[in-house]
Amino acid sequence: MSAPMRVLLWHVHGSWTTAFVQGQHEYLVPVVPGRGPEGRGRAQTWDWPASVRELSPTEVRAALDDGAVDVVLLQRPDDVRLLQEWTGRRPGRDVPAVYVEHNAPTGHAARSRHPLADLDTVADGTVPVVHVTAFNRLMWDCGDARTLVVDHGIPDPGHRWTGERPHVAAAVNEPVRRWRVAGTDVLLRVAQDVPLEVYGMGTDLLAPHLESGSPVAAASAARLHDLPQHELHDALAGARAYLHPYRWTSLGLSLLEAMAIGLPVLALPVTEAPVAVPPEAGVLSADPEVLVAAARRWVDEPEEAAAHGKAAREHALTHYPLGRFLDRWTALLTELVDDAPAGRPSSRH
């Protein structure tokens, strides 16, 4: 087994970080007053182990000065700036580093130059760019950078599906602001014929759009929730099926978590969804009417929904296991630390 490392990373994506910090290492997360984007610190709505420790910007610099950081995990271009401003260190030159790209490009895929592709230590392969899906790696133009894919891994939430409510559930943050990207129009189409539950930040702004639709959609306006993570899984488990309406996104962990809970899936056949959701786990179609028909059938036939949900759970746990995710990350981080120039302070022993 590799020696434990001290990994500095910003708290950017709660679900992904929750999986990442389940490993054998010590995880140092910056925290700033107000817990803003420059330093959110430990999660407030996820359960993180004691191995995750908060550091102020001053403490981050002291930790690097003392050799108490082995490797830095960057997830935003701003993380590069913050590391340099707070500590004077350059990623890949003064401390081993890796950049994780969580997102699909927001512009035209054929012209999607990665924002760090031309950073010297990225361009020369010293700082690899790790994508969370093969689709993202294909779509981003990373130039001469060393690129890898480390697929998601999810902690098993347990088979919780009961399907007692003849509703379809969806988890979409800011569905109004992110209208077409999030597939909110698809979500509203399904809601016209099937009772819908929507979970996520900013879902209250969706109410007027639901209320102006069919009587079924208007009733769905009362089922808009922004729940903490520890309550979300239990809430989703009571719905008959899960709707993933996104047109253009990376592979959302909420989808994989819903599958692991045992929910059958309705989704658009875009980005990484065809890999994540095989035919036995649900229905993928670019035609919203096909999704509506499947949703109505599952509302009437819970046994069919249960069978698809069972297959969804098996696929999620087989293809996105937490252990493999952690092992791949440990191997990569160990390689970066071991290949660092001799003489750099390190906490490994």
Side-chain angles (χ1 to χ4, degrees):
M1 179 180 292
S2 301
M5 289 171 278
R6 290 177 179 167
V7 184
L8 173 67
L9 74 155
W10 278 260
H11 173 189
V12 177
H13 296 282
S15 289
W16 185 89
T17 309
T18 297
F20 183 77
V21 300
Q22 304 304 314
Q24 62 178 321
H25 312 293
E26 183 175 355
Y27 306 92
L28 310 174
V29 293
V31 61
V32 298
R35 297 183 178 272
E38 291 192 348
R40 294 191 174 97
R42 285 180 57 93
Q44 306 298 294
T45 58
W46 280 269
D47 184 17
W48 286 4
S51 56
V52 182
R53 185 159 58 90
E54 294 183 343
L55 296 182
S56 69
T58 300
E59 290 170 328
V60 169
R61 177 165 194 138
L64 279 157
D65 288 346
D66 294 341
V69 173
D70 294 302
V71 61
V72 179
L73 189 146
L74 308 160
Q75 301 170 78
R76 304 166 297 183
D78 253 10
D79 293 351
V80 178
R81 175 184 63 82
L82 291 172
L83 180 69
Q84 293 178 322
E85 288 183 359
W86 291 358
T87 73
R89 262 68 171 193
R90 296 167 299 165
R93 289 286 182 263
D94 305 313
V95 60
V98 58
Y99 189 93
V100 184
E101 181 51 71
H102 292 276
N103 302 314
T106 56
H108 194 295
R111 298 187 294 273
S112 55
R113 186 72 169 178
H114 194 277
L116 290 192
D118 299 312
L119 183 69
D120 58 349
T121 52
V122 171
D124 69 11
T126 304
V127 176
V129 177
V130 176
H131 298 277
V132 298
T133 70
F135 180 89
N136 288 3
R137 183 187 189 184
L138 178 69
M139 292 302 163
W140 276 113
D141 172 11
C142 289
D144 294 327
R146 178 190 177 195
T147 60
L148 305 165
V149 177
V150 176
D151 291 314
H152 288 306
I154 56 172
D156 182 3
H159 187 278
R160 306 189 191 191
W161 182 86
T162 63
E164 68 220 40
R165 299 189 302 276
H167 303 165
V168 170
V172 182
N173 285 327
E174 301 187 73
V176 173
R177 182 182 67 82
R178 303 166 66 211
W179 193 273
R180 284 186 60 80
V181 168
T184 301
D185 55 318
V186 176
L187 184 150
L188 293 177
R189 174 62 193 94
V190 173
Q192 289 179 8
D193 287 307
V194 182
L196 183 70
E197 303 171 3
V198 187
Y199 299 87
M201 296 181 291
T203 53
D204 56 311
L205 299 178
L206 194 58
H209 301 278
L210 288 164
E211 290 165 352
S212 63
S214 70
V216 175
S220 297
R223 292 189 287 270
L224 303 173
H225 313 275
D226 183 5
L227 298 179
Q229 185 72 10
H230 66 277
E231 296 180 17
L232 178 60
H233 289 168
D234 285 335
L236 289 176
R240 190 65 51 85
Y242 186 80
L243 173 64
H244 184 68
Y246 289 85
R247 271 190 178 84
W248 186 257
T249 184
S250 187
L251 180 57
L253 280 164
S254 58
L255 169 63
L256 299 181
E257 291 166 356
M259 293 173 67
I261 290 167
L263 277 86
V265 175
L266 304 163
L268 305 181
V270 295
T271 63
E272 193 79 359
V275 175
V277 186
E280 62 272 19
V283 174
L284 274 65
S285 177
D287 185 349
E289 302 305 320
V290 173
L291 301 181
V292 169
R296 295 182 70 172
R297 187 172 67 250
W298 290 345
V299 164
D300 294 334
E301 301 177 19
E303 294 82 6
E304 181 183 339
H308 282 294
K310 182 175 182 292
R313 172 172 165 77
E314 292 173 353
H315 183 82
L317 296 183
T318 299
H319 289 80
Y320 305 97
L322 181 63
R324 185 173 66 194
F325 169 80
L326 295 174
D327 287 347
R328 291 198 64 192
W329 269 110
T330 290
L332 175 57
L333 297 177
T334 300
E335 173 196 324
L336 293 172
V337 172
D338 288 349
D339 288 348
R344 178 181 292 145
S346 173
S347 67
R348 297 185 77 203
H349 55 273

